[in-house]
Amino acid sequence: MFSAVFSDELGEDYNGALSVVASRRLLREQAALHREGLELQGVFHHFDEANPHKAAAVVLGPDETPYARCPFLFEFTFPNTYPMKPPHAKLLTRDGRVRFNPNLYVNGKVCLSILGTWAGPSWTSLSTFRTVLISIQSLLCSNPLQNEPGHEHETSSDCDLYAAMVRYESVAIAALQLGKTLPPCFEPLRALLGGIFLCNYSVYCEMLAGFVTCEGRLDRCPLYGFVTKYAPRLVRQQLDSLQATLLTQPEAVQMADELQHQALALCMPEASSEELPTGSGSEASQPLRPTHVAHGLWRVGPGARRFLRRCCFLSLVTAGVSAAVGVAISFAGSSFHALE
């Protein structure tokens, strides 16, 4: 009895000691990130004041990728065993349908070896939250299908189509998520998200402009099967509406000014971008830049293609057999008449 109680108390003391170590390490990492953050790379973070073992991060897609300037929201939970064990990461920018990246699952799972969710270089006690944030942003690359195992050197039309679908959905979902209810952990970052949107509104409109010819059409993702129904006219209206709302919010406008004053690369106008009129909602005034290869058609997946090939093969075989039987019958008939 005494040994059991002693063991429980020892376990509580040990867990308490681990929690203290984790809290101290997290405080040091917070201080380091405040001194030299990742804002210049388009990565922002916030630690929960009530629970330092919880954090939120906004990761902007890099330029020249299908995710360009769109904010992706991640929630992090640090265990009491941190830094011996990695944090748990969850993607909160999702709609239950779109697979934004081979490493970002529809249910929010973030697949990275450093997080212990995939094979490869694993977490060590020298790894940091900063390391995790940089690793996550590196997933948002120009050819995301190459992140899928077995497709590392893929350059087919499937790669182009997937990138195009991700580009459209990044605007339709990620850029517009501020217009919906934010997860509670991101409320402290609402003004920041508003500023990011105002800084990049014209970029979102330009990304969307390339899809005007796909209005009302469908594409099926070649590998993951989700379907994109293009509605660029509606999405443009939603962009305009959100911009108009944010322009009435002093905090968002002030944050946009501050982001541009700091000359953050992913919050500054692109040198090659034409300026778009704001609030017009007219596709005629938008530059048509074919920055994607969206088919705007129902696409047939690999399994269906194999089935169709088999059907074609069987049809050819059946046609060949039928022709052979016809020739045989004709030959037999000729022989019979010759005998008569």
Side-chain angles (χ1 to χ4, degrees), residues 161-200:
L161 178 59
Y162 181 58
M165 295 174 72
V166 168
R167 181 182 297 273
Y168 175 82
E169 298 289 6
S170 291
V171 177
I173 297 174
L176 284 168
Q177 62 192 320
L178 188 58
K180 300 179 180 179
T181 303
L182 281 178
C185 60
F186 281 91
E187 280 300 328
L189 297 173
R190 178 177 288 277
L192 171 68
L193 289 168
I196 289 171
F197 180 92
L198 291 175
C199 288
N200 292 306

Side-chain angles (χ1 to χ4, degrees), residues 2 16 26 32 55 84 97 113 116 126 136 153 177 184 190 195 254 262 264-265 279 281 285 289 305 314 322 326:
F2 175 77
L26 287 170
M84 303 307 296
R97 174 181 59 89
S113 64
L126 298 178
I136 288 177
H153 305 291
Q177 62 192 320
R190 178 177 288 277
Q254 181 180 352
Q262 293 175 1
L264 302 187
S285 62
R289 285 189 160 187
R305 285 199 291 268
L314 289 174
S322 298

Side-chain angles (χ1 to χ4, degrees), residues 70-220:
C70 295
F72 290 85
L73 311 184
F74 295 86
E75 182 182 35
F76 297 90
T77 303
F78 299 85
N80 286 338
T81 50
Y82 187 82
M84 303 307 296
K85 297 292 183 182
H88 175 266
K90 189 173 185 180
L91 172 68
L92 299 187
T93 300
R94 62 184 199 271
D95 70 343
R97 174 181 59 89
V98 177
R99 180 83 170 262
F100 278 106
N101 189 282
N103 296 73
L104 303 177
Y105 286 51
V106 174
N107 63 2
K109 179 181 177 181
V110 179
C111 199
L112 270 176
S113 64
I114 195 174
L115 296 177
T117 51
W118 187 249
S122 59
W123 176 271
T124 72
S125 59
L126 298 178
S127 304
T128 64
F129 184 38
R130 183 191 189 94
T131 310
V132 173
L133 293 174
I134 293 173
S135 298
I136 288 177
Q137 191 181 44
S138 71
L139 298 175
L140 307 180
C141 58
S142 59
N143 196 345
L145 194 61
Q146 291 183 345
N147 289 351
E148 179 67 34
H151 295 262
E152 292 85 352
H153 305 291
E154 187 81 34
T155 57
S156 67
S157 59
D158 285 349
C159 285
D160 296 332
L161 178 59
Y162 181 58
M165 295 174 72
V166 168
R167 181 182 297 273
Y168 175 82
E169 298 289 6
S170 291
V171 177
I173 297 174
L176 284 168
Q177 62 192 320
L178 188 58
K180 300 179 180 179
T181 303
L182 281 178
C185 60
F186 281 91
E187 280 300 328
L189 297 173
R190 178 177 288 277
L192 171 68
L193 289 168
I196 289 171
F197 180 92
L198 291 175
C199 288
N200 292 306
Y201 164 79
S202 62
V203 176
Y204 303 147
C205 290
E206 188 173 356
M207 290 170 66
L208 187 65
F211 294 89
V212 293
T213 58
C214 297
E215 183 72 47
R217 297 180 181 177
L218 303 169
D219 269 330
R220 182 185 294 277

Side-chain angles (χ1 to χ4, degrees), residues 161 214 217-220 227-228 230 294-300:
L161 178 59
C214 297
R217 297 180 181 177
L218 303 169
D219 269 330
R220 182 185 294 277
V227 173
T228 290
Y230 299 105
H295 293 192
L297 301 170
W298 276 105
R299 290 270 293 173
V300 181

Side-chain angles (χ1 to χ4, degrees), residues 11-68:
E12 291 177 2
D13 291 343
Y14 179 70
N15 290 331
L18 286 177
S19 180
V20 169
V21 171
S23 297
R24 288 177 177 173
R25 169 65 178 263
L26 287 170
L27 287 174
R28 288 199 300 271
E29 289 196 29
Q30 286 185 55
L33 281 170
H34 283 305
R35 287 194 305 271
E36 297 180 9
L38 295 169
E39 292 82 3
L40 288 175
Q41 289 96 311
V43 179
F44 307 84
H45 74 281
H46 174 77
F47 278 89
D48 190 328
E49 295 180 1
N51 184 356
H53 284 243
K54 295 276 189 180
V58 178
V59 178
L60 299 186
D63 284 339
E64 308 300 328
T65 73
Y67 312 93

